[in-house]
């Protein structure tokens, strides 16, 4: 197994030189989170993850989480110890409010910590990731009393959190859920129903699990407008804060999945479990959206993080594996010397760099949207977060699938053998394009909700802001000429397809939806190219630290070889829906064919 | 589990209307293989596979093949019975010479039968697939005596065959193998060494296994020029043809793989096993190339076949799964009605159709290359086979990964749960881009061996032949206008990148290798677009049989939405090798980064 090298230096480079972290650190409330402090923390986190979490990754895959006959869930060997150390170190609390025991650091730093955790062990990292989602919902919508009661131990990680949305017939269509919440005389609610696909729905890492559960009160309106959100703890909590008796929630199954075996994906049965309403009745979807936006960025990051781990492993293999001779070689060569293997490595590395910058940019705008003193700046940052989130989620996780596949491919036949470990990354990351809203739903969100903001002005202003780099690229001379040319060309592609979307949306929403996925990919490719160009420009004049010098070759490779793919997607983005619906379901199945042919 | 519908009608449509099967059936020796007879056989094969083989697919995945403590290998439940029925029915013998008990049908029909077998159960289908490879090597290079001794029972399938190339340090570089062959006084050879990754290297399906083994005689030249090929049976054969004692070959391991669990991938140990030289010493690579060319087409077909099965399952799911409402709908909709789900279905279906036509075209040229009375026609057909084989293998299996991923994605969260079966297809097909020469090796073969044929004239003539469709497309009117425009545009892309490759190859072979994979993909996209256009043109005037009517919408979708991606690859195909080698291995690893940053 290859040694895991936490990519701390690239994270700090991206923070400082690409997404403007120094500005973030100047925002009120973040004064203590200056770059040097942050760099030191990330270095410690990286070491921690490499030493204590990364070694649990294989056992997690091989053993998996399991449901015991007594209904308890056991996580794989090493998870419990690693989680205890994680709580001790306090890494989960770094980006959370000081008021509840957190470190009060920006979301961008929280995301960097999540990335390092996920790179070490994606399945393990889901426990704190879900907890953070639940914390954010409580922070935004919980009463003061609820915050005081639940947050402190969730912030430390002593208590874990979950999100309970899905039911067998309510997946993407959350509004179809049927779990019932009946108000009791004491103001609590009795929650009854079945939830599926609950990540870390039960486990042995923490003494308590705080479920946030979507349910429907008896007279609630149909659909998403009639959903309420409840705190449903695994154990009831006594007046003195100690844990009391078991609440009416039980684990009836743990799914057998293709990947992330270490993460228990649970079927939970609620039988008149005691729940505490968050906010008012029927605002549950609004609360879930708070959790989802944050979680969607985190899931996009998973695509990046698992790709980084897979990339490192494939790079190590490519350096060590001797096989055949390259042209002109006089002795056998490591396969890294073959051009096509290099292509696979460079494709991974430059996409990974672009994704890291994209995720951090999104997070930095989250920080501006919550902490900037100027309301207009906050509002604009919030718009950008809205625009970038579906792109980060879908582009990040689509690439997660593609890049872990390249890493596996570099291993040749060994990649298909489970002992090698390359296959695990490919299997693990596959869920990320599905959960937290499938990538198709992200694309629908982009064209249906984010593009119409201010009649398209929000998106167009963002595109215009990317164009502002052109002057600097022009001034940077010949070395940047191909980057400049390709970025201009593909910004044109983005602008042209965006104009088509805006023009078409009002009259033919199905046409816009039909092209939404390739359109989202154009966005991803272009934002990535822009950020890599920024990254390369920033590297000029910096002393090389093992990162700076690599930025220009990476940006050039991206611009010349990856970015042009955007133009190849114009057809698919703007073809409309006619072709998609030209065949009916029977024709798609060639239903008549066997009968008709004879 | 969704019911498997053998795609016989599309196979027969493609044979008759796209790849000119009626001409193949006119070749000397194929008179009995007229289209109606073939259609009837394929119909029977389809029914057989649906009823007897497809039901073994899940058990194959769940149980896997296993190595018993006594060194024998047991295949999963149902495999033995299905194989016995397969031998009884004689499907494997259909395309083999009548002289040895075969049906004497064309390779194109053999490939169609392989496709149907693979769609039913990829792991199972590998047993006859490898046997056929071994048969082809014997047919081409075996002595008459050897043919009489081994072929009849291999043709029926009573005896299975394998290919033994790979060793731990000799994968892509076959020439590095070290297995020894020492000539004995009786003319046989003693074979000693270890082989890995031997598909169906041992099993309980047949009473005998005939291994074709590459090994090196004591004084052989180094590298691929010193390799000889031997018949090494699992059991020695007595004079009377009955099986004698066990030969010195033993199974020391069965790999634990990500997919095709039902196919035992063996580590075989040869200890002075008796081997019979095929042909002369040191021509082993030539013999293996016979097997490999045929096997590469069959592996490309695997990408298609598993995609077909995954597609059918995702289509059934999309028709049944009710979730949310489409725009304007008054009640909940099946997800097939959502545009982005349609995109995923149409992408699968049109690529599958294109791949099927491409594989059959390749096989039809194999038939011309072996059976056409005119030597020049045979030679030209052989060139086309050489050109198309790496494209079929790499494009087919890359798409296998991508299309099974789309099928999984359509299932949403259910796709990630192993019980659903969608994940199996994604896992199974992943090996196909690796074995029989990784797809990188296919791309190197295309630019390094196939493109230089007659200084590029072979490839350019094929491109010119694709351009000949333009007149017919122009005459076909408005309905075909977008197909014509895109095909012209992307034939230009192909011609332009081919010209660059030919121009660059002599002076800078690394530059050509650097762009070889995206260049191969351009070929795949364009050949697919051309064949879909042919398919749509042929459908005019045909009575709709459930297939004909679908060809125009499929061809248009392909032309407008998939084919344009070729242009997006020009940059990557023609960028040269500078960017790929701009970073050294340490820089790729950011090796200095942790130290330097502090």
């Amino acid at each position: 197994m290859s040694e895991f090298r936490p990519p701390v230096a690239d994270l700090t480079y991206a923070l400082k030189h690409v997404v403007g972290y120094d500005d973030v650190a100047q925002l009120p409330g973040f004064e203590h989170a200056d770059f040097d402090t942050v760099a030191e923390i990330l270095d410690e986190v990286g070491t921690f993850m490499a030493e204590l979490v990364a070694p649990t990754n294989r056992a997690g895959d091989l053993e998996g989480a399991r449901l015991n006959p007594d209904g308890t869930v056991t996580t794989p060997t090493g998870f419990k110890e690693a989680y205890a150390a994680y709580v001790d170190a306090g890494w989960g609390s770094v980006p959370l409010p000081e008021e509840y025991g957190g470190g009060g650091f920006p979301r961008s730093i929280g995301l960097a910590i999540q990335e390092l955790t996920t790179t070490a062990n994606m399945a393990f990292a889901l426990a704190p990731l879900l907890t953070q989602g639940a914390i954010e919902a409580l922070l935004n919508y919980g009463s003061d009393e609820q915050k005081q009661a639940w947050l402190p131990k969730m912030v430390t990680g002593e208590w874990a959190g979950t999100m309970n949305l899905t039911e067998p017939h309510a997946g993407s269509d959350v509004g179809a859920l049927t779990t019932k919440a009946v108000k009791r005389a004491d103001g609590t609610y009795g929650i009854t129903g079945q939830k599926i696909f609950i990540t870390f729905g039960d486990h042995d890492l923490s003494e308590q699990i705080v479920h946030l559960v979507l349910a429907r009160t008896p007279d609630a309106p149909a659909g998403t407008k009639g959903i309420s959100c409840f705190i449903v703890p695994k154990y009831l909590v006594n007046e003195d804060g100690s844990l009391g008796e078991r609440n009416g929630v039980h684990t009836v199954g743990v799914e057998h999945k293709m990947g992330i075996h270490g993460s228990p994906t649970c079927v939970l049965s609620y039988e008149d479990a005691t729940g505490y309403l968050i906010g008012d009745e029927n605002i549950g979807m609004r609360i879930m959206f708070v959790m989802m936006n944050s979680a969607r960025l985190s899931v996009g990051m998973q695509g990046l993080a698992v790709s980084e781990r897979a990339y490192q492993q494939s790079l190590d293999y490519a350096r060590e594996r001797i096989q055949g001779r390259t042209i002109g070689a006089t002795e056998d060569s490591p396969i890294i010397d073959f051009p096509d293997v290099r292509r696979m490595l460079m494709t991974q590395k430059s996409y990974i760099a672009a994704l890291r910058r994209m995720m951090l940019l999104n997070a930095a705008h989250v920080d501006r949207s919550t902490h900037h003193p100027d309301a207009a700046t906050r509002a604009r940052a919030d718009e950008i977060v809205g625009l970038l989130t579906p792109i980060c989620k879908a582009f990040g996780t689509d690439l997660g699938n593609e890049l872990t596949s390249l890493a596996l491919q570099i291993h040749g036949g060994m990649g298909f053998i489970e002992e090698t470990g390359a296959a695990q990354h490919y299997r693990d990351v596959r869920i990320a394009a599905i959960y937290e809203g499938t990538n198709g739903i992200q694309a629908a969100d982009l064209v249906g909700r984010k593009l119409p903001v201010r009649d398209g002005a929000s998106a167009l202003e963002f595109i215009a802001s990317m164009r502002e780099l052109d002057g600097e690229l022009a001034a940077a001379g010949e070395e940047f000429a191909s980057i400049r040319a390709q970025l201009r060309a593909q910004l044109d592609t983005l602008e042209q397809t965006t104009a088509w979307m805006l023009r078409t949306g009002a009259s033919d929403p199905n046409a816009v939806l039909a092209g939404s996925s390739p359109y989202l990919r154009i966005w991803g490719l272009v934002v990535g190219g822009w950020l890599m160009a920024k990254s390369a420009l920033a590297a000029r004049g910096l002393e090389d630290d093992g990162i700076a010098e690599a930025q220009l070759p990476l940006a050039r490779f991206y611009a010349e070889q990856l970015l042009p793919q955007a133009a190849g997607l114009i057809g698919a983005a703007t073809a409309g829906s006619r072709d998609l619906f030209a065949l009916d379901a029977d024709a798609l199945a060639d239903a008549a064919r066997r009968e008709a042919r004879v």
Side-chain angles (χ1 to χ4, degrees), chain A:
Chain A
M1 206 60 47
S2 85
E3 187 207 3
F4 165 49
R5 298 178 293 276
V8 173
D10 194 54
L11 274 165
T12 50
Y13 181 92
L15 283 167
K16 187 167 184 74
H17 300 296
V18 187
V19 308
Y21 182 75
D22 283 333
D23 294 344
V24 171
Q26 309 247 327
L27 296 174
F30 291 148
E31 295 82 358
H32 61 307
D34 61 283
F35 175 76
D36 288 342
T37 303
V38 159
E40 207 167 304
I41 290 176
L42 292 181
D43 216 36
E44 280 178 48
V45 173
T47 303
F48 177 93
M49 296 304 162
E51 290 176 358
L52 294 172
V53 178
T56 65
N57 196 43
R58 283 297 290 155
D61 188 55
L62 294 171
E63 296 175 23
R66 62 177 193 277
L67 178 63
N68 303 306
D70 66 358
T72 61
V73 173
T74 304
T75 53
T77 304
F79 275 43
K80 214 169 160 171
E81 294 74 13
Y83 188 78
Y86 178 91
V87 169
D88 270 356
W91 300 133
S93 67
V94 170
L96 296 172
E98 293 166 282
E99 195 180 345
Y100 302 103
F105 276 65
R107 168 71 167 130
S108 37
I109 305 311
L111 187 75
I113 294 172
Q114 281 184 331
E115 186 197 317
L116 292 168
T117 316
T118 305
T119 311
N121 185 337
M122 174 178 169
F124 173 88
L126 280 161
L129 194 150
L130 270 290
T131 302
Q132 182 179 311
I135 289 170
E136 281 169 24
L138 282 170
L139 279 173
N140 279 277
Y141 288 95
S143 66
D144 285 342
E145 198 186 353
Q146 286 172 338
K147 291 183 196 172
Q148 290 302 338
W150 302 103
L151 284 179
K153 290 202 167 185
M154 293 176 76
V155 166
T156 61
E158 288 164 278
W159 292 2
T162 73
M163 293 165 65
N164 285 236
L165 289 76
T166 306
E167 299 177 8
H169 295 283
S172 298
D173 181 14
V174 180
L177 66 85
T178 61
T179 294
K180 283 197 176 60
V182 179
K183 193 165 184 175
R184 297 167 177 166
D186 65 357
T188 67
Y189 289 71
I191 310 292
T192 302
Q194 195 179 71
K195 293 288 180 178
I196 63 168
F197 295 163
I198 308 307
T199 300
F200 274 93
D202 199 6
H203 56 81
D204 53 5
L205 301 184
S206 62
E207 58 179 20
Q208 167 76 305
I209 301 173
V210 182
H211 302 292
L212 294 205
V213 181
L214 293 190
R216 197 178 284 289
T217 53
D219 303 322
T224 53
K225 288 177 185 149
I227 291 174
S228 305
C229 184
F230 300 89
I231 301 164
V232 187
K234 179 174 171 182
Y235 292 96
L236 297 176
V237 180
N238 298 321
E239 294 274 318
D240 64 357
S242 64
L243 296 184
E245 61 185 80
R246 193 78 151 75
N247 200 355
V249 49
H250 298 284
T251 308
V252 297
V254 168
E255 304 290 357
H256 175 216
K257 308 186 298 295
M258 182 168 69
I260 53 167
H261 295 159
S263 162
T265 302
C266 298
V267 180
L268 296 183
S269 174
Y270 291 86
E271 288 158 39
D272 197 29
T274 297
Y276 310 99
L277 181 68
I278 305 178
D280 300 316
E281 287 187 5
N282 300 333
I283 66 158
M285 279 308 286
R286 221 190 298 160
I287 300 174
M288 278 294 149
F289 266 114
V290 168
M291 294 168 66
M292 277 195 289
N293 266 330
S294 171
R296 283 174 176 183
L297 172 55
S298 296
V299 169
M301 173 280 296
Q302 292 180 326
L304 153 66
V306 182
S307 296
E308 168 76 35
R309 184 78 182 265
Y311 165 70
Q312 291 189 11
Q313 191 173 345
S314 70
L315 174 63
D316 292 349
Y317 186 81
R319 296 178 75 170
E320 285 160 17
R321 173 74 172 168
I322 309 287
Q323 193 71 182
R325 284 181 197 185
T326 55
I327 290 170
T330 53
E331 52 188 52
D332 286 352
S333 313
I335 62 171
I336 193 175
D337 289 348
F338 289 91
D340 195 65
V341 173
R342 280 282 175 146
R343 162 175 302 289
M344 293 191 273
L345 290 169
M346 284 292 288
T347 301
Q348 290 178 77
K349 187 165 177 64
S350 54
Y351 269 138
I352 286 169
L355 285 179
R356 185 168 289 130
R357 285 147 183 73
M358 200 181 297
M359 303 292 160
L360 291 175
L361 180 75
N362 191 333
H365 281 299
V366 171
D367 292 324
R368 290 186 186 97
S369 78
T370 53
H371 283 70
H372 201 283
D374 174 51
T377 306
R378 283 201 305 277
R380 178 57 187 152
D382 199 51
E383 282 182 354
I384 295 174
V385 169
L387 182 66
L388 290 180
T389 297
I391 298 166
C392 285
K393 198 282 182 181
F395 188 60
T397 58
D398 279 345
L399 284 180
N401 293 333
E402 296 166 30
L403 303 183
T404 56
S405 185
L406 290 178
L408 191 157
Q409 185 74 20
I410 287 173
H411 286 81
M414 292 304 296
F416 198 61
I417 306 297
E418 285 290 358
E419 280 76 5
T420 311
Q424 183 191 343
H425 307 309
Y426 185 64
R427 291 186 288 96
D428 280 351
V429 81
R430 187 62 189 82
I431 186 58
I434 296 171
Y435 61 17
E436 283 309 318
T438 64
N439 285 1
I441 285 180
Q442 304 302 322
D445 178 54
L446 175 64
V447 300
R449 286 213 185 91
K450 306 306 170 54
L451 209 49
V453 170
R454 292 193 280 124
D455 290 330
S458 171
L460 294 173
E461 286 169 17
F462 191 83
I463 296 173
S465 76
M466 290 195 281
R467 286 207 185 272
E468 285 169 16
L469 207 64
D470 189 64
E472 207 180 331
L473 286 168
E478 196 48 42
E479 281 191 326
F480 286 78
S482 65
I483 297 174
R484 181 183 179 218
Q486 276 303 330
L487 189 58
R488 285 169 71 116
Q490 303 315 327
L491 278 163
D492 288 349
T493 295
L494 178 59
E495 210 160 67
Q496 172 190 341
T497 48
T498 300
W500 184 90
M501 290 281 163
L502 291 170
R503 205 162 60 229
T504 311
S507 62
D508 189 353
N510 269 324
V512 161
L513 288 169
S516 58
S517 279
Y519 175 65
L520 183 148
R521 185 145 182 136
I522 292 171
W523 264 102
L525 285 164
V526 173
V527 174
W530 167 63
L531 288 170
M532 289 309 294
K534 279 187 77 154
S535 193
L537 287 169
R540 291 170 307 161
L542 290 181
E543 202 179 328
D544 185 40
D545 58 355
I547 298 291
E549 213 167 44
Q551 300 309 303
L552 180 60
L554 288 173
R556 198 160 51 206
F557 175 80
Y558 191 105
E560 295 178 5
Q561 306 209 32
L562 305 176
L563 184 53
Q565 293 173 20
L569 298 170
I570 298 174
T574 63
S577 60
R578 183 189 68 160
D579 287 351
L580 298 183
F581 290 91
L583 298 177
D584 66 18
D586 276 350
L588 281 166
D590 298 337
R593 60 192 181 183
R594 295 199 60 201
E595 292 71 25
R597 209 198 42 73
V598 179

